[in-house]
């Protein structure tokens, strides 16, 4: 069976590849296609381990005429994207195929069975699911390399594959689908794969809404329907009507941290767009309901509401449609800056929900349950999940920007210098001001433009009602005063604390102090009065890994969560942990199920927030079937972590982790911060400098334009190392830690015990294994040969590779394997199959970087585009940007 499955994947790759070949031949002639074939052949030979093969490939690439460079990079990039479509299609079709580890991809039905067998009552299962609050937060993080217009074509290509596979009895239908496939692949080939301009934050938000429209709008009711059926089977009960175990929030147009393009004006616009889109989508549902619910029989409540009409449901729906239309027109008028004269608009979820519920109840009361539980139920579910805004919009701003407001304010009011005050002085001042009845900010205050913008954002918070906004996140938070400042600014501008406030801890020091900071905050009665019984805290995975190295950061994240759980429990406060994870391992990425179950026990008590970023949004939520599966995986993980939590780590393991993390941290810092050759090496060998040219997102690659590597954001930091396949940030230091321990008696045994019995550690090793399998020191060496000519830098490169090789062999020893990914052949094959297509892109990238340097960045527009295409292509080949 599994042989057949792989066969179908291979067939599809061939179909798509042949089609691309024909398109390219039509465009550039058979001679060009022959050159592509030669390159592919050489790359394949190079991968068989022959040194000569690799050299031949490089020589061939270097001799290519300049006019060929762009089309060659494009051909390989497009092929890799088509291979990804085939693979994604295969995974969606056979949803239980081995993903990351055989047998661990959860299936909800099986999990419910297991929970029942472990003594959880049916009631408990229903309650846990009904009260579950998972919020998936879609961010605009610039890690999606593929343009929206191409994503649409790729989705259509996927549909064609489905049509071909299901048309074996209908040759005409299959032929039509093949014709369409040719058309789409030709369209893609004749479309620029790199945008010409950066998207604006509003463009990004529109893209987020499109994911809802094209995929989640369908997947959400399907997910509830499946859940309902499963609960009925296992527990004999149904999911409550208004249950919304998984909801969506967004950062698109709200995350201003280091992105000057996200202004208060933008946020207002995005909020309105959400209202408009929501109204537009609901209208489609309501129109369908109005057409279909032509029944006459009602209960007395509905009859009383609509009066004696022939088609009471239609009557009620007609009124509702009018209101939703008015809402859509109102939002549009606001967006266009026009006034609106129309009728009352829908403001709250309940205004939409209540009439639909009245229809539902009436249908059930008169025995028409089958009709009630059809399209109408789907619409009710959508209202429960999407509300009237589709997503809740989070806001994020750096702690420093709020401190700047306080500094200017205390200066202008002659109250002192906020920046110089101790933490205690700040807290005392902020608490007193929070309690004071008089305003602190003068009415016509002349402040800096930056501070005005910060305050304008608080004005947006003040003008919005509770359903539109999610959480206000403070990046680089480190002290209770960072949170109190935001509370005070909300009160000053809006008269109240208008939305929950969450500090984001994202350096090693801040993670280490997270429990203490929240402890001190919750101990302040003034603060408790403001926030009541809830506290949200965000954990930043990638910045902490950039700061401390992956192993030390992972352990600090774990301990911070444990401390936060303990503190909040003691204070009787419900804690929601918000995980700021990226897609790649270096940014805390990994399969959602394993990631959630590797968190400390007690940290997922039915509630959880997690970011979904860039290409991961496409991989996990881009199509209805895949989104459905992703929601199932999340529901499973949270249910399992809440009902059957992972074991507490043994004290001995904790001691081990302390030592391992310490050694790894010292080794990491010793290179990244203390070796004077490190930064010059990074700059010379990776495409870091050129990355800023890729117009992936609306935000700049650095927090400050004049800064060095420390101001570089975590995404381009990881992206740069990924492009040359050294993947350094995710492993540097770990080899020393493991090797040192293994040399000691009993060391290997205890590490293996942790591997087998502690999900946190087991998952860490799985991710490391996958990362090392994607890394390739030969390629990194090639970049060095081409781009570095200082002996001290070369020596550093040599040492880094030596460390990599050491970790590689230590990891195999820990895993008791002969080679990496031995137990997950599908992933191994996926990497192996792609390598011959990625290698030419690496070769050309190094070449183009060299030419770019020689020309001081003044290469031709075509070469510059070719360089960008190599970056996009390598990212596609590795299925991760950075
Ligand atoms: P941030 O995200 O830079 O927006 O904090 C980092 C990441 O997602 O890797």
């Amino acid at each position: 069976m599994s042989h057949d499955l792989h066969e179908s994947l291979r067939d599809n790759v061939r179909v798509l590849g042949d089609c691309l070949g024909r398109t390219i031949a039509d465009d550039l002639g058979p001679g060009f296609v022959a050159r592509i074939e030669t390159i592919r052949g050489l790359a394949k030979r190079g991968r068989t381990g022959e040194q000569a093969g690799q050299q031949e490939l490089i020589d061939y690439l270097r001799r290519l005429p300049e006019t060929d460079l762009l089309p060659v990079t494009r051909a390989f990039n497009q092929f890799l994207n088509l291979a990804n479509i085939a693979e994604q299609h295969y995974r969606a079709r056979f949803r239980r195929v081995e993903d990351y580890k055989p047998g661990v991809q959860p299936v909800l039905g099986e999990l419910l069975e297991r929970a029942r067998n472990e003594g959880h009552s049916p009631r408990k299962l229903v309650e846990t699911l009904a009260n579950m609050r998972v919020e998936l937060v879609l961010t605009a993080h610039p890690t999606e390399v593929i343009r929206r217009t191409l994503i649409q074509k790729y989705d259509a290509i996927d549909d064609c594959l489905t049509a071909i596979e299901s048309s074996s009895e209908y040759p005409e239908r299959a032929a039509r689908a093949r014709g369409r496939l040719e058309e789409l692949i030709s369209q893609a080939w004749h479309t620029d794969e790199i945008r010409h301009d950066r998207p604006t934050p509003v463009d990004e938000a529109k893209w987020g809404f499109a994911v809802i429209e094209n995929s989640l709008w369908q997947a959400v009711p399907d997910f509830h329907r499946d859940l309902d059926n499963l609960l009925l089977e296992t527990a004999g009960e149904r999911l409550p009507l208004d249950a919304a175990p998984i909801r969506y929030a967004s950062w698109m147009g709200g995350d201003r941290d280091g992105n000057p393009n996200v202004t208060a004006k933008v946020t207002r616009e995005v909020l309105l767009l959400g209202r408009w889109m929501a109204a537009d989508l609901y209208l489609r549902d309501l129109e369908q309901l109005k057409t279909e619910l032509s029944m006459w029989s009602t209960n007395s409540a509905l009859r009383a509401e609509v009066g004696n009409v022939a088609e009471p449901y239609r009557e009620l729906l007609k009124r509702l449609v009018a209101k939703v239309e008015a809402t859509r027109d109102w939002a549009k008028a606001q967006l266009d800056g026009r006034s609106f004269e129309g009728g009352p608009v829908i403001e709250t979820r309940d205004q939409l929900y209540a009439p639909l519920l009245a229809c539902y109840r009436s249908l059930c009361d008169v025995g028409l349950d089958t009709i009630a539980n059809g399209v109408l139920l789907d619409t009710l579910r959508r209202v429960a999940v999407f509300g009237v805004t589709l997503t809740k919009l989070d806001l994020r701003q750096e702690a420093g920007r709020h401190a700047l407001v306080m500094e200017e304010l205390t200066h202008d009011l002659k109250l002192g210098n906020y920046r110089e005050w101790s933490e205690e002085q700040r807290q005392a001042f902020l608490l007193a001001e929070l309690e004071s009845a008089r305003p602190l900010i003068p009415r016509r205050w002349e402040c800096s433009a930056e501070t005005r913008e910060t305050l304008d954002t608080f004005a947006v918070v003040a003008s919005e009602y509770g359903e539109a906004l999610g959480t206000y996140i403070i990046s680089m938070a480190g002290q209770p005063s960072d949170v109190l400042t935001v509370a005070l600014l909300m009160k000053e501008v809006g008269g109240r604390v208008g939305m929950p406030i969450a500090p984001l801890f994202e350096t090693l020091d801040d993670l280490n102090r997270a429990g203490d900071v929240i402890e001190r905050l919750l101990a302040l009665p003034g603060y408790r009065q403001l926030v009541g019984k809830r506290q949200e805290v965000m954990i930043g995975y990638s910045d902490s890994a950039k700061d401390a190295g992956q192993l030390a950061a992972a352990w600090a994240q774990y301990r911070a969560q444990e401390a936060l759980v303990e503190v909040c429990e003691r204070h009787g406060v419900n804690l929601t942990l918000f995980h700021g994870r990226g897609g790649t391992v270096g940014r805390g990425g990994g399969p959602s199920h394993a990631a959630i179950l590797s968190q400390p026990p007690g940290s997922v008590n039915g509630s959880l927030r997690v970011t979904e970023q860039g290409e991961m949004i496409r991989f996990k939520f881009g199509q209805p079937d895949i989104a459905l599966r992703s929601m199932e995986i999340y529901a499973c993980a949270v249910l399992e972590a809440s009902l059957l939590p992972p074991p507490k780590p043994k004290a001995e393991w904790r001691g081990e982790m302390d030592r391992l993390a310490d050694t790894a941290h010292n080794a990491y810092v010793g290179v990244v911060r203390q070796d004077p050759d490190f930064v010059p090496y990074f700059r010379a060998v990776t495409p870091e400098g050129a990355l800023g040219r890729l117009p992936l997102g609306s935000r700049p690659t650095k927090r400050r334009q004049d800064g060095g590597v420390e101001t570089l954001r975590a995404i381009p930091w990881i992206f740069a190392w990924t492009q040359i396949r050294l993947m350094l940030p995710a492993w540097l230091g770990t080899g020393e830690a493991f090797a040192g321990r293994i040399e000691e008696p009993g060391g290997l045994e205890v590490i293996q015990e942790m591997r087998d019995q502690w999900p946190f550690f087991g998952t860490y090793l799985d991710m490391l294994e996958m990362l090392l399998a994607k890394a390739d020191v030969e390629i990194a060496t090639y970049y060095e040969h081409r781009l570095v000519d200082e002996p001290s830098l070369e020596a550093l490169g040599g040492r880094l590779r030596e460390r990599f090789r050491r970790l590689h062999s230590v990891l195999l020893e820990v895993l008791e394997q002969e080679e990496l990914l031995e137990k997950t052949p599908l992933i191994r094959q996926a990497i192996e199959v792609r390598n011959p297509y990625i290698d030419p892109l690496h070769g050309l990238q190094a070449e183009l970087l060299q030419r770019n340097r020689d020309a001081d960045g003044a290469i031709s527009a075509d070469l510059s585009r070719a360089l960008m295409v190599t970056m996009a292509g390598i990212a596609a080949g590795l299925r991760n940007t950075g």
Side-chain angles (χ1 to χ4, degrees), residues 114 159 257 420 507 518 647 699:
R114 212 173 96 210
D159 292 343
D257 168 42
E420 285 171 4
T507 64
I518 296 297
R699 93 177 179 190

Side-chain angles (χ1 to χ4, degrees), residues 362-393:
S362 171
L363 286 167
C364 291
D365 285 351
V366 299
L368 299 179
D369 301 60
T370 315
I371 299 175
N373 287 311
V375 184
L376 179 57
L377 178 59
D378 285 351
T379 308
L380 280 165
R381 301 282 195 208
R382 288 185 178 121
V383 179
V385 171
F386 296 114
V388 292
T389 57
L390 294 184
T391 60
K392 282 195 184 238
L393 187 65

Side-chain angles (χ1 to χ4, degrees), residues 137-141 200-202 204-205 209 249-259 261-271 391-398 453 457 460-461 468-474 499 698-699:
V137 185
L138 311 179
T139 77
H141 280 46
T200 65
V202 174
E204 291 171 335
F209 292 135
S250 168
W251 277 18
M252 300 172 176
D255 176 19
R256 55 240 314 122
D257 168 42
N259 187 349
N261 302 312
V262 179
T263 58
K265 185 164 169 283
V266 162
T267 300
R268 260 187 225 283
E269 185 173 344
V270 168
L271 286 166
T391 60
K392 282 195 184 238
L393 187 65
D394 280 2
L395 305 178
R396 180 171 71 150
Q397 181 61 287
E398 294 165 70
E453 180 53 47
T457 301
V460 176
V461 178
L469 296 171
T471 303
Y472 193 107
I473 294 130
I474 308 162
M499 63 195 289
S698 70
R699 93 177 179 190

Side-chain angles (χ1 to χ4, degrees), residues 499-517:
M499 63 195 289
I501 305 168
L504 159 56
F505 297 110
E506 50 185 337
T507 64
L508 186 64
D509 280 351
D510 290 341
L511 281 171
N512 286 340
R513 283 185 293 126
D516 177 53
V517 169

Side-chain angles (χ1 to χ4, degrees), residues 139 141-143 251 255 257 396 475-476 504 506 538 540-543 580-584 586-588 611 613 699 703 712-716 718 882:
T139 77
H141 280 46
T143 63
W251 277 18
D255 176 19
D257 168 42
R396 180 171 71 150
S475 52
M476 292 293 167
L504 159 56
E506 50 185 337
M538 184 165 183
Y541 285 72
S542 42
D543 275 286
R581 292 174 175 278
T584 39
R587 292 169 43 237
T611 51
Q613 317 189 346
R699 93 177 179 190
R703 281 178 188 268
L712 188 67
R713 300 205 73 127
I715 291 170
I718 302 279

